[in-house]
Amino acid sequence: MQGFVDFLQGFLALGATVILPVAIFFLGLFFGQKAGKAFRSGLTIGVAFVGIFLVIDLLVMNLGPAAQGMVERLGVNLTVIDVGWPASSSIAWASVVAAFIIPLGLLVNVIMLVTKTTKTMNVDIWNFWHYTFMAAMVYAISGSIIQGLIAAVLFQIVCLKVADWTAPMMGEFFDLPGISIATGSTISYAPGILLVKLVQKIPGLKNLNADPDTIQKRFGIFGESIFIGLFLGATIGALAGYSVGDVIEIGMAMAAVMVLMPRMVKILMEGLMPVSESAREWLNKRFGDREIYIGLDAAVALGHPAVISTALILVPVTVLMAVFLPGNAVLPFGDLATIPFVVAFIVGAARGNIVHSVIVGAIMIAISLYIATDVAPMFTEMAVQSDFNMPEGSAMISSIDQGGNIVNWIIYKVFSIFN
């Protein structure tokens, strides 16, 4: 068993840029593609994700220090450090239940496809770590591997059902036909879709609109996404107390993110469409005319400029909320660069309206901060058990991504009743 766990951890350490191409290659072969065509699809998707993650790294490397600068200027003293999703995933995969999650997750997905209880074929195996974290939390309170695996399956079922529900939006708004998102962190913010509908019925608020097209019509070339990125990035740099040179540098970095991300997503779709079409033909021959979605990482939704714009505005808003929300103990840091991922559904539901997206995004992030505060003791205990190196000077740790995940928290609380 330990040998299998070591192999699994080694494979997962390769990251999505290796795991996804391998998964797509074998998926293409399974659906009757020739080896050369399947290999090209996998390779193209791998290249696209390399590009996507390079752009995300650019986002992270600039937002992290800027957020720290804002925190230092505010003199914040919060006791729980947000260590971000990389730390959360490493803690998850260190759990004894980790070895069971990928085979179990694939089996559950296949059963749901065959029984027509989902339309999503989730090839985003890397993000199964969210299911693993869920299992690890329940295992930590129960000592039962069975209970942990049941919790992970429940989490996965919710993710797949929400992925089905939001897939039409992925095609209509994000221009990603045949794609769904079952990423655990993004799924957690799906209730924000209902909040968007509520906001759009409130007198006064419902008339406020600032989507990229409207901004561009009003400001001409200065309303293009490249200028929006420059402005928002420079604003964050100024709030962080940067020098003029550094303000310009972070502005340029965010302008680059706004321009490069949509191009990477286009490359991704170039590799994915042949596999998606083969899958649809294969399923139609055997199960009749069925709609099938390919489940991918939420990074594919970051190609829309409204998503990045909303996220950049929410960075300083999140830091301010952490300071002034009564009862919050989480200091946002590691997951500030994850905000584009968690607000993707909200932006799609708002049809790119940045004003409505920021309002609803702020409400959902506030809820996540409280949840992350609540689970911090358990989160910290799991980190200690996995020999995680705690940040210097921190009493407890948590994260906005998985620590503040609403679906994770509800399932965790239900199992807590029985343990």
Side-chain angles (χ1 to χ4, degrees), residues 207-232:
N207 297 323
L208 297 176
N209 185 30
D211 60 73
D213 291 338
T214 303
I215 293 171
Q216 186 169 349
K217 286 176 183 177
R218 178 168 294 184
F219 296 100
I221 61 169
F222 293 103
E224 293 178 10
S225 60
I226 188 171
F227 288 103
I228 294 173
L230 177 68
F231 172 74
L232 292 176

mmCIF file with all atom_site columns, all heavy atoms in Angstrom, residues 207-232:
data_model
loop_
_atom_site.group_PDB
_atom_site.id
_atom_site.type_symbol
_atom_site.label_atom_id
_atom_site.label_alt_id
_atom_site.label_comp_id
_atom_site.label_asym_id
_atom_site.label_entity_id
_atom_site.label_seq_id
_atom_site.pdbx_PDB_ins_code
_atom_site.Cartn_x
_atom_site.Cartn_y
_atom_site.Cartn_z
_atom_site.occupancy
_atom_site.B_iso_or_equiv
_atom_site.pdbx_formal_charge
_atom_site.auth_seq_id
_atom_site.auth_comp_id
_atom_site.auth_asym_id
_atom_site.auth_atom_id
_atom_site.pdbx_PDB_model_num
ATOM 1   N N   . ASN A 1 207 ? -29.592 48.483 -11.870 1.00 0.00 ? 207 ASN A N   1
ATOM 2   C CA  . ASN A 1 207 ? -29.281 49.322 -13.029 1.00 0.00 ? 207 ASN A CA  1
ATOM 3   C C   . ASN A 1 207 ? -27.801 49.648 -13.166 1.00 0.00 ? 207 ASN A C   1
ATOM 4   O O   . ASN A 1 207 ? -27.390 50.246 -14.159 1.00 0.00 ? 207 ASN A O   1
ATOM 5   C CB  . ASN A 1 207 ? -30.085 50.622 -12.956 1.00 0.00 ? 207 ASN A CB  1
ATOM 6   C CG  . ASN A 1 207 ? -31.584 50.379 -13.014 1.00 0.00 ? 207 ASN A CG  1
ATOM 7   O OD1 . ASN A 1 207 ? -32.046 49.497 -13.732 1.00 0.00 ? 207 ASN A OD1 1
ATOM 8   N ND2 . ASN A 1 207 ? -32.345 51.142 -12.245 1.00 0.00 ? 207 ASN A ND2 1
ATOM 9   N N   . LEU A 1 208 ? -27.008 49.285 -12.157 1.00 0.00 ? 208 LEU A N   1
ATOM 10  C CA  . LEU A 1 208 ? -25.574 49.548 -12.209 1.00 0.00 ? 208 LEU A CA  1
ATOM 11  C C   . LEU A 1 208 ? -24.899 48.494 -13.078 1.00 0.00 ? 208 LEU A C   1
ATOM 12  O O   . LEU A 1 208 ? -25.022 47.298 -12.826 1.00 0.00 ? 208 LEU A O   1
ATOM 13  C CB  . LEU A 1 208 ? -24.970 49.522 -10.796 1.00 0.00 ? 208 LEU A CB  1
ATOM 14  C CG  . LEU A 1 208 ? -25.481 50.594 -9.822  1.00 0.00 ? 208 LEU A CG  1
ATOM 15  C CD1 . LEU A 1 208 ? -24.870 50.383 -8.445  1.00 0.00 ? 208 LEU A CD1 1
ATOM 16  C CD2 . LEU A 1 208 ? -25.166 51.991 -10.348 1.00 0.00 ? 208 LEU A CD2 1
ATOM 17  N N   . ASN A 1 209 ? -24.220 48.937 -14.104 1.00 0.00 ? 209 ASN A N   1
ATOM 18  C CA  . ASN A 1 209 ? -23.590 47.988 -15.028 1.00 0.00 ? 209 ASN A CA  1
ATOM 19  C C   . ASN A 1 209 ? -22.214 48.485 -15.447 1.00 0.00 ? 209 ASN A C   1
ATOM 20  O O   . ASN A 1 209 ? -22.054 49.642 -15.825 1.00 0.00 ? 209 ASN A O   1
ATOM 21  C CB  . ASN A 1 209 ? -24.460 47.791 -16.264 1.00 0.00 ? 209 ASN A CB  1
ATOM 22  C CG  . ASN A 1 209 ? -23.904 46.718 -17.186 1.00 0.00 ? 209 ASN A CG  1
ATOM 23  O OD1 . ASN A 1 209 ? -23.252 45.780 -16.718 1.00 0.00 ? 209 ASN A OD1 1
ATOM 24  N ND2 . ASN A 1 209 ? -24.133 46.834 -18.464 1.00 0.00 ? 209 ASN A ND2 1
ATOM 25  N N   . ALA A 1 210 ? -21.230 47.617 -15.340 1.00 0.00 ? 210 ALA A N   1
ATOM 26  C CA  . ALA A 1 210 ? -19.875 47.964 -15.767 1.00 0.00 ? 210 ALA A CA  1
ATOM 27  C C   . ALA A 1 210 ? -19.191 46.712 -16.293 1.00 0.00 ? 210 ALA A C   1
ATOM 28  O O   . ALA A 1 210 ? -18.266 46.188 -15.686 1.00 0.00 ? 210 ALA A O   1
ATOM 29  C CB  . ALA A 1 210 ? -19.074 48.556 -14.610 1.00 0.00 ? 210 ALA A CB  1
ATOM 30  N N   . ASP A 1 211 ? -19.685 46.187 -17.408 1.00 0.00 ? 211 ASP A N   1
ATOM 31  C CA  . ASP A 1 211 ? -19.033 45.031 -18.021 1.00 0.00 ? 211 ASP A CA  1
ATOM 32  C C   . ASP A 1 211 ? -17.976 45.534 -19.003 1.00 0.00 ? 211 ASP A C   1
ATOM 33  O O   . ASP A 1 211 ? -17.970 46.710 -19.376 1.00 0.00 ? 211 ASP A O   1
ATOM 34  C CB  . ASP A 1 211 ? -20.057 44.137 -18.738 1.00 0.00 ? 211 ASP A CB  1
ATOM 35  C CG  . ASP A 1 211 ? -20.790 44.878 -19.840 1.00 0.00 ? 211 ASP A CG  1
ATOM 36  O OD1 . ASP A 1 211 ? -20.167 45.131 -20.892 1.00 0.00 ? 211 ASP A OD1 1
ATOM 37  O OD2 . ASP A 1 211 ? -21.966 45.225 -19.646 1.00 0.00 ? 211 ASP A OD2 1
ATOM 38  N N   . PRO A 1 212 ? -17.038 44.667 -19.414 1.00 0.00 ? 212 PRO A N   1
ATOM 39  C CA  . PRO A 1 212 ? -15.942 45.106 -20.291 1.00 0.00 ? 212 PRO A CA  1
ATOM 40  C C   . PRO A 1 212 ? -16.402 45.813 -21.563 1.00 0.00 ? 212 PRO A C   1
ATOM 41  O O   . PRO A 1 212 ? -15.789 46.798 -21.988 1.00 0.00 ? 212 PRO A O   1
ATOM 42  C CB  . PRO A 1 212 ? -15.209 43.800 -20.607 1.00 0.00 ? 212 PRO A CB  1
ATOM 43  C CG  . PRO A 1 212 ? -15.447 42.948 -19.408 1.00 0.00 ? 212 PRO A CG  1
ATOM 44  C CD  . PRO A 1 212 ? -16.850 43.270 -18.976 1.00 0.00 ? 212 PRO A CD  1
ATOM 45  N N   . ASP A 1 213 ? -17.486 45.343 -22.182 1.00 0.00 ? 213 ASP A N   1
ATOM 46  C CA  . ASP A 1 213 ? -17.968 45.972 -23.416 1.00 0.00 ? 213 ASP A CA  1
ATOM 47  C C   . ASP A 1 213 ? -18.465 47.389 -23.167 1.00 0.00 ? 213 ASP A C   1
ATOM 48  O O   . ASP A 1 213 ? -18.181 48.316 -23.930 1.00 0.00 ? 213 ASP A O   1
ATOM 49  C CB  . ASP A 1 213 ? -19.090 45.135 -24.039 1.00 0.00 ? 213 ASP A CB  1
ATOM 50  C CG  . ASP A 1 213 ? -18.591 43.816 -24.600 1.00 0.00 ? 213 ASP A CG  1
ATOM 51  O OD1 . ASP A 1 213 ? -17.375 43.728 -24.885 1.00 0.00 ? 213 ASP A OD1 1
ATOM 52  O OD2 . ASP A 1 213 ? -19.390 42.877 -24.736 1.00 0.00 ? 213 ASP A OD2 1
ATOM 53  N N   . THR A 1 214 ? -19.223 47.564 -22.068 1.00 0.00 ? 214 THR A N   1
ATOM 54  C CA  . THR A 1 214 ? -19.736 48.887 -21.720 1.00 0.00 ? 214 THR A CA  1
ATOM 55  C C   . THR A 1 214 ? -18.598 49.851 -21.406 1.00 0.00 ? 214 THR A C   1
ATOM 56  O O   . THR A 1 214 ? -18.609 51.016 -21.831 1.00 0.00 ? 214 THR A O   1
ATOM 57  C CB  . THR A 1 214 ? -20.690 48.798 -20.502 1.00 0.00 ? 214 THR A CB  1
ATOM 58  O OG1 . THR A 1 214 ? -21.744 47.881 -20.795 1.00 0.00 ? 214 THR A OG1 1
ATOM 59  C CG2 . THR A 1 214 ? -21.276 50.157 -20.163 1.00 0.00 ? 214 THR A CG2 1
ATOM 60  N N   . ILE A 1 215 ? -17.619 49.368 -20.662 1.00 0.00 ? 215 ILE A N   1
ATOM 61  C CA  . ILE A 1 215 ? -16.468 50.199 -20.301 1.00 0.00 ? 215 ILE A CA  1
ATOM 62  C C   . ILE A 1 215 ? -15.712 50.629 -21.554 1.00 0.00 ? 215 ILE A C   1
ATOM 63  O O   . ILE A 1 215 ? -15.298 51.779 -21.696 1.00 0.00 ? 215 ILE A O   1
ATOM 64  C CB  . ILE A 1 215 ? -15.537 49.437 -19.331 1.00 0.00 ? 215 ILE A CB  1
ATOM 65  C CG1 . ILE A 1 215 ? -16.243 49.210 -17.986 1.00 0.00 ? 215 ILE A CG1 1
ATOM 66  C CG2 . ILE A 1 215 ? -14.223 50.196 -19.117 1.00 0.00 ? 215 ILE A CG2 1
ATOM 67  C CD1 . ILE A 1 215 ? -15.494 48.289 -17.049 1.00 0.00 ? 215 ILE A CD1 1
ATOM 68  N N   . GLN A 1 216 ? -15.538 49.684 -22.485 1.00 0.00 ? 216 GLN A N   1
ATOM 69  C CA  . GLN A 1 216 ? -14.799 50.004 -23.704 1.00 0.00 ? 216 GLN A CA  1
ATOM 70  C C   . GLN A 1 216 ? -15.563 51.021 -24.563 1.00 0.00 ? 216 GLN A C   1
ATOM 71  O O   . GLN A 1 216 ? -14.961 51.933 -25.144 1.00 0.00 ? 216 GLN A O   1
ATOM 72  C CB  . GLN A 1 216 ? -14.529 48.743 -24.512 1.00 0.00 ? 216 GLN A CB  1
ATOM 73  C CG  . GLN A 1 216 ? -13.626 48.985 -25.723 1.00 0.00 ? 216 GLN A CG  1
ATOM 74  C CD  . GLN A 1 216 ? -13.148 47.693 -26.364 1.00 0.00 ? 216 GLN A CD  1
ATOM 75  O OE1 . GLN A 1 216 ? -13.315 46.633 -25.798 1.00 0.00 ? 216 GLN A OE1 1
ATOM 76  N NE2 . GLN A 1 216 ? -12.552 47.802 -27.530 1.00 0.00 ? 216 GLN A NE2 1
ATOM 77  N N   . LYS A 1 217 ? -16.887 50.884 -24.625 1.00 0.00 ? 217 LYS A N   1
ATOM 78  C CA  . LYS A 1 217 ? -17.678 51.843 -25.402 1.00 0.00 ? 217 LYS A CA  1
ATOM 79  C C   . LYS A 1 217 ? -17.559 53.246 -24.813 1.00 0.00 ? 217 LYS A C   1
ATOM 80  O O   . LYS A 1 217 ? -17.522 54.242 -25.532 1.00 0.00 ? 217 LYS A O   1
ATOM 81  C CB  . LYS A 1 217 ? -19.146 51.406 -25.436 1.00 0.00 ? 217 LYS A CB  1
ATOM 82  C CG  . LYS A 1 217 ? -19.411 50.211 -26.344 1.00 0.00 ? 217 LYS A CG  1
ATOM 83  C CD  . LYS A 1 217 ? -20.873 49.775 -26.263 1.00 0.00 ? 217 LYS A CD  1
ATOM 84  C CE  . LYS A 1 217 ? -21.116 48.536 -27.126 1.00 0.00 ? 217 LYS A CE  1
ATOM 85  N NZ  . LYS A 1 217 ? -22.517 48.046 -27.002 1.00 0.00 ? 217 LYS A NZ  1
ATOM 86  N N   . ARG A 1 218 ? -17.510 53.319 -23.474 1.00 0.00 ? 218 ARG A N   1
ATOM 87  C CA  . ARG A 1 218 ? -17.483 54.623 -22.817 1.00 0.00 ? 218 ARG A CA  1
ATOM 88  C C   . ARG A 1 218 ? -16.106 55.268 -22.875 1.00 0.00 ? 218 ARG A C   1
ATOM 89  O O   . ARG A 1 218 ? -15.974 56.480 -23.041 1.00 0.00 ? 218 ARG A O   1
ATOM 90  C CB  . ARG A 1 218 ? -17.936 54.485 -21.359 1.00 0.00 ? 218 ARG A CB  1
ATOM 91  C CG  . ARG A 1 218 ? -17.896 55.793 -20.568 1.00 0.00 ? 218 ARG A CG  1
ATOM 92  C CD  . ARG A 1 218 ? -18.609 55.657 -19.248 1.00 0.00 ? 218 ARG A CD  1
ATOM 93  N NE  . ARG A 1 218 ? -20.046 55.426 -19.443 1.00 0.00 ? 218 ARG A NE  1
ATOM 94  C CZ  . ARG A 1 218 ? -20.921 55.352 -18.438 1.00 0.00 ? 218 ARG A CZ  1
ATOM 95  N NH1 . ARG A 1 218 ? -20.502 55.480 -17.188 1.00 0.00 ? 218 ARG A NH1 1
ATOM 96  N NH2 . ARG A 1 218 ? -22.197 55.138 -18.681 1.00 0.00 ? 218 ARG A NH2 1
ATOM 97  N N   . PHE A 1 219 ? -15.050 54.454 -22.725 1.00 0.00 ? 219 PHE A N   1
ATOM 98  C CA  . PHE A 1 219 ? -13.701 55.011 -22.628 1.00 0.00 ? 219 PHE A CA  1
ATOM 99  C C   . PHE A 1 219 ? -12.834 54.754 -23.856 1.00 0.00 ? 219 PHE A C   1
ATOM 100 O O   . PHE A 1 219 ? -11.651 55.086 -23.852 1.00 0.00 ? 219 PHE A O   1
ATOM 101 C CB  . PHE A 1 219 ? -13.001 54.458 -21.379 1.00 0.00 ? 219 PHE A CB  1
ATOM 102 C CG  . PHE A 1 219 ? -13.660 54.858 -20.097 1.00 0.00 ? 219 PHE A CG  1
ATOM 103 C CD1 . PHE A 1 219 ? -14.497 53.976 -19.430 1.00 0.00 ? 219 PHE A CD1 1
ATOM 104 C CD2 . PHE A 1 219 ? -13.463 56.119 -19.558 1.00 0.00 ? 219 PHE A CD2 1
ATOM 105 C CE1 . PHE A 1 219 ? -15.111 54.332 -18.238 1.00 0.00 ? 219 PHE A CE1 1
ATOM 106 C CE2 . PHE A 1 219 ? -14.076 56.497 -18.368 1.00 0.00 ? 219 PHE A CE2 1
ATOM 107 C CZ  . PHE A 1 219 ? -14.910 55.600 -17.710 1.00 0.00 ? 219 PHE A CZ  1
ATOM 108 N N   . GLY A 1 220 ? -13.406 54.136 -24.896 1.00 0.00 ? 220 GLY A N   1
ATOM 109 C CA  . GLY A 1 220 ? -12.628 53.901 -26.105 1.00 0.00 ? 220 GLY A CA  1
ATOM 110 C C   . GLY A 1 220 ? -11.500 52.910 -25.852 1.00 0.00 ? 220 GLY A C   1
ATOM 111 O O   . GLY A 1 220 ? -11.678 51.920 -25.144 1.00 0.00 ? 220 GLY A O   1
ATOM 112 N N   . ILE A 1 221 ? -10.324 53.201 -26.410 1.00 0.00 ? 221 ILE A N   1
ATOM 113 C CA  . ILE A 1 221 ? -9.199  52.269 -26.245 1.00 0.00 ? 221 ILE A CA  1
ATOM 114 C C   . ILE A 1 221 ? -8.784  52.137 -24.784 1.00 0.00 ? 221 ILE A C   1
ATOM 115 O O   . ILE A 1 221 ? -8.232  51.107 -24.374 1.00 0.00 ? 221 ILE A O   1
ATOM 116 C CB  . ILE A 1 221 ? -7.978  52.693 -27.094 1.00 0.00 ? 221 ILE A CB  1
ATOM 117 C CG1 . ILE A 1 221 ? -7.464  54.072 -26.667 1.00 0.00 ? 221 ILE A CG1 1
ATOM 118 C CG2 . ILE A 1 221 ? -8.314  52.664 -28.573 1.00 0.00 ? 221 ILE A CG2 1
ATOM 119 C CD1 . ILE A 1 221 ? -6.112  54.411 -27.275 1.00 0.00 ? 221 ILE A CD1 1
ATOM 120 N N   . PHE A 1 222 ? -9.059  53.160 -23.966 1.00 0.00 ? 222 PHE A N   1
ATOM 121 C CA  . PHE A 1 222 ? -8.699  53.088 -22.548 1.00 0.00 ? 222 PHE A CA  1
ATOM 122 C C   . PHE A 1 222 ? -9.652  52.186 -21.758 1.00 0.00 ? 222 PHE A C   1
ATOM 123 O O   . PHE A 1 222 ? -9.433  51.952 -20.575 1.00 0.00 ? 222 PHE A O   1
ATOM 124 C CB  . PHE A 1 222 ? -8.674  54.495 -21.938 1.00 0.00 ? 222 PHE A CB  1
ATOM 125 C CG  . PHE A 1 222 ? -7.574  55.358 -22.492 1.00 0.00 ? 222 PHE A CG  1
ATOM 126 C CD1 . PHE A 1 222 ? -7.851  56.343 -23.423 1.00 0.00 ? 222 PHE A CD1 1
ATOM 127 C CD2 . PHE A 1 222 ? -6.258  55.148 -22.107 1.00 0.00 ? 222 PHE A CD2 1
ATOM 128 C CE1 . PHE A 1 222 ? -6.830  57.127 -23.946 1.00 0.00 ? 222 PHE A CE1 1
ATOM 129 C CE2 . PHE A 1 222 ? -5.228  55.926 -22.629 1.00 0.00 ? 222 PHE A CE2 1
ATOM 130 C CZ  . PHE A 1 222 ? -5.515  56.914 -23.551 1.00 0.00 ? 222 PHE A CZ  1
ATOM 131 N N   . GLY A 1 223 ? -10.690 51.711 -22.430 1.00 0.00 ? 223 GLY A N   1
ATOM 132 C CA  . GLY A 1 223 ? -11.588 50.759 -21.798 1.00 0.00 ? 223 GLY A CA  1
ATOM 133 C C   . GLY A 1 223 ? -11.294 49.324 -22.170 1.00 0.00 ? 223 GLY A C   1
ATOM 134 O O   . GLY A 1 223 ? -11.981 48.406 -21.719 1.00 0.00 ? 223 GLY A O   1
ATOM 135 N N   . GLU A 1 224 ? -10.260 49.109 -23.000 1.00 0.00 ? 224 GLU A N   1
ATOM 136 C CA  . GLU A 1 224 ? -9.864  47.748 -23.377 1.00 0.00 ? 224 GLU A CA  1
ATOM 137 C C   . GLU A 1 224 ? -9.262  47.031 -22.173 1.00 0.00 ? 224 GLU A C   1
ATOM 138 O O   . GLU A 1 224 ? -8.748  47.663 -21.242 1.00 0.00 ? 224 GLU A O   1
ATOM 139 C CB  . GLU A 1 224 ? -8.855  47.800 -24.523 1.00 0.00 ? 224 GLU A CB  1
ATOM 140 C CG  . GLU A 1 224 ? -9.446  48.321 -25.826 1.00 0.00 ? 224 GLU A CG  1
ATOM 141 C CD  . GLU A 1 224 ? -8.410  48.397 -26.930 1.00 0.00 ? 224 GLU A CD  1
ATOM 142 O OE1 . GLU A 1 224 ? -7.298  47.871 -26.725 1.00 0.00 ? 224 GLU A OE1 1
ATOM 143 O OE2 . GLU A 1 224 ? -8.705  48.976 -27.985 1.00 0.00 ? 224 GLU A OE2 1
ATOM 144 N N   . SER A 1 225 ? -9.311  45.699 -22.229 1.00 0.00 ? 225 SER A N   1
ATOM 145 C CA  . SER A 1 225 ? -8.870  44.899 -21.085 1.00 0.00 ? 225 SER A CA  1
ATOM 146 C C   . SER A 1 225 ? -7.420  45.183 -20.701 1.00 0.00 ? 225 SER A C   1
ATOM 147 O O   . SER A 1 225 ? -7.071  45.167 -19.517 1.00 0.00 ? 225 SER A O   1
ATOM 148 C CB  . SER A 1 225 ? -9.050  43.408 -21.390 1.00 0.00 ? 225 SER A CB  1
ATOM 149 O OG  . SER A 1 225 ? -8.297  43.033 -22.530 1.00 0.00 ? 225 SER A OG  1
ATOM 150 N N   . ILE A 1 226 ? -6.571  45.475 -21.669 1.00 0.00 ? 226 ILE A N   1
ATOM 151 C CA  . ILE A 1 226 ? -5.162  45.733 -21.370 1.00 0.00 ? 226 ILE A CA  1
ATOM 152 C C   . ILE A 1 226 ? -5.005  46.985 -20.502 1.00 0.00 ? 226 ILE A C   1
ATOM 153 O O   . ILE A 1 226 ? -4.198  47.021 -19.562 1.00 0.00 ? 226 ILE A O   1
ATOM 154 C CB  . ILE A 1 226 ? -4.335  45.864 -22.675 1.00 0.00 ? 226 ILE A CB  1
ATOM 155 C CG1 . ILE A 1 226 ? -2.842  45.937 -22.364 1.00 0.00 ? 226 ILE A CG1 1
ATOM 156 C CG2 . ILE A 1 226 ? -4.787  47.065 -23.508 1.00 0.00 ? 226 ILE A CG2 1
ATOM 157 C CD1 . ILE A 1 226 ? -1.976  45.844 -23.607 1.00 0.00 ? 226 ILE A CD1 1
ATOM 158 N N   . PHE A 1 227 ? -5.825  48.015 -20.755 1.00 0.00 ? 227 PHE A N   1
ATOM 159 C CA  . PHE A 1 227 ? -5.764  49.234 -19.955 1.00 0.00 ? 227 PHE A CA  1
ATOM 160 C C   . PHE A 1 227 ? -6.435  49.036 -18.592 1.00 0.00 ? 227 PHE A C   1
ATOM 161 O O   . PHE A 1 227 ? -5.992  49.606 -17.586 1.00 0.00 ? 227 PHE A O   1
ATOM 162 C CB  . PHE A 1 227 ? -6.423  50.394 -20.709 1.00 0.00 ? 227 PHE A CB  1
ATOM 163 C CG  . PHE A 1 227 ? -5.615  50.883 -21.874 1.00 0.00 ? 227 PHE A CG  1
ATOM 164 C CD1 . PHE A 1 227 ? -5.976  50.532 -23.165 1.00 0.00 ? 227 PHE A CD1 1
ATOM 165 C CD2 . PHE A 1 227 ? -4.486  51.664 -21.690 1.00 0.00 ? 227 PHE A CD2 1
ATOM 166 C CE1 . PHE A 1 227 ? -5.225  50.973 -24.255 1.00 0.00 ? 227 PHE A CE1 1
ATOM 167 C CE2 . PHE A 1 227 ? -3.727  52.105 -22.770 1.00 0.00 ? 227 PHE A CE2 1
ATOM 168 C CZ  . PHE A 1 227 ? -4.104  51.763 -24.058 1.00 0.00 ? 227 PHE A CZ  1
ATOM 169 N N   . ILE A 1 228 ? -7.489  48.225 -18.565 1.00 0.00 ? 228 ILE A N   1
ATOM 170 C CA  . ILE A 1 228 ? -8.148  47.921 -17.288 1.00 0.00 ? 228 ILE A CA  1
ATOM 171 C C   . ILE A 1 228 ? -7.162  47.202 -16.364 1.00 0.00 ? 228 ILE A C   1
ATOM 172 O O   . ILE A 1 228 ? -7.060  47.508 -15.170 1.00 0.00 ? 228 ILE A O   1
ATOM 173 C CB  . ILE A 1 228 ? -9.407  47.066 -17.510 1.00 0.00 ? 228 ILE A CB  1
ATOM 174 C CG1 . ILE A 1 228 ? -10.460 47.870 -18.283 1.00 0.00 ? 228 ILE A CG1 1
ATOM 175 C CG2 . ILE A 1 228 ? -9.976  46.576 -16.185 1.00 0.00 ? 228 ILE A CG2 1
ATOM 176 C CD1 . ILE A 1 228 ? -11.669 47.053 -18.707 1.00 0.00 ? 228 ILE A CD1 1
ATOM 177 N N   . GLY A 1 229 ? -6.420  46.231 -16.921 1.00 0.00 ? 229 GLY A N   1
ATOM 178 C CA  . GLY A 1 229 ? -5.419  45.518 -16.137 1.00 0.00 ? 229 GLY A CA  1
ATOM 179 C C   . GLY A 1 229 ? -4.344  46.447 -15.610 1.00 0.00 ? 229 GLY A C   1
ATOM 180 O O   . GLY A 1 229 ? -3.932  46.358 -14.445 1.00 0.00 ? 229 GLY A O   1
ATOM 181 N N   . LEU A 1 230 ? -3.878  47.350 -16.474 1.00 0.00 ? 230 LEU A N   1
ATOM 182 C CA  . LEU A 1 230 ? -2.861  48.327 -16.071 1.00 0.00 ? 230 LEU A CA  1
ATOM 183 C C   . LEU A 1 230 ? -3.364  49.195 -14.919 1.00 0.00 ? 230 LEU A C   1
ATOM 184 O O   . LEU A 1 230 ? -2.666  49.391 -13.911 1.00 0.00 ? 230 LEU A O   1
ATOM 185 C CB  . LEU A 1 230 ? -2.492  49.206 -17.265 1.00 0.00 ? 230 LEU A CB  1
ATOM 186 C CG  . LEU A 1 230 ? -1.491  50.346 -17.010 1.00 0.00 ? 230 LEU A CG  1
ATOM 187 C CD1 . LEU A 1 230 ? -0.117  49.785 -16.691 1.00 0.00 ? 230 LEU A CD1 1
ATOM 188 C CD2 . LEU A 1 230 ? -1.422  51.274 -18.222 1.00 0.00 ? 230 LEU A CD2 1
ATOM 189 N N   . PHE A 1 231 ? -4.591  49.698 -15.044 1.00 0.00 ? 231 PHE A N   1
ATOM 190 C CA  . PHE A 1 231 ? -5.159  50.588 -14.027 1.00 0.00 ? 231 PHE A CA  1
ATOM 191 C C   . PHE A 1 231 ? -5.367  49.867 -12.693 1.00 0.00 ? 231 PHE A C   1
ATOM 192 O O   . PHE A 1 231 ? -4.973  50.363 -11.628 1.00 0.00 ? 231 PHE A O   1
ATOM 193 C CB  . PHE A 1 231 ? -6.488  51.164 -14.528 1.00 0.00 ? 231 PHE A CB  1
ATOM 194 C CG  . PHE A 1 231 ? -7.239  51.947 -13.490 1.00 0.00 ? 231 PHE A CG  1
ATOM 195 C CD1 . PHE A 1 231 ? -6.820  53.205 -13.105 1.00 0.00 ? 231 PHE A CD1 1
ATOM 196 C CD2 . PHE A 1 231 ? -8.364  51.395 -12.879 1.00 0.00 ? 231 PHE A CD2 1
ATOM 197 C CE1 . PHE A 1 231 ? -7.510  53.924 -12.124 1.00 0.00 ? 231 PHE A CE1 1
ATOM 198 C CE2 . PHE A 1 231 ? -9.059  52.091 -11.904 1.00 0.00 ? 231 PHE A CE2 1
ATOM 199 C CZ  . PHE A 1 231 ? -8.627  53.367 -11.525 1.00 0.00 ? 231 PHE A CZ  1
ATOM 200 N N   . LEU A 1 232 ? -5.991  48.676 -12.742 1.00 0.00 ? 232 LEU A N   1
ATOM 201 C CA  . LEU A 1 232 ? -6.269  47.942 -11.507 1.00 0.00 ? 232 LEU A CA  1
ATOM 202 C C   . LEU A 1 232 ? -4.979  47.477 -10.830 1.00 0.00 ? 232 LEU A C   1
ATOM 203 O O   . LEU A 1 232 ? -4.852  47.536 -9.602  1.00 0.00 ? 232 LEU A O   1
ATOM 204 C CB  . LEU A 1 232 ? -7.179  46.745 -11.801 1.00 0.00 ? 232 LEU A CB  1
ATOM 205 C CG  . LEU A 1 232 ? -8.614  47.083 -12.236 1.00 0.00 ? 232 LEU A CG  1
ATOM 206 C CD1 . LEU A 1 232 ? -9.379  45.808 -12.579 1.00 0.00 ? 232 LEU A CD1 1
ATOM 207 C CD2 . LEU A 1 232 ? -9.343  47.844 -11.138 1.00 0.00 ? 232 LEU A CD2 1
#
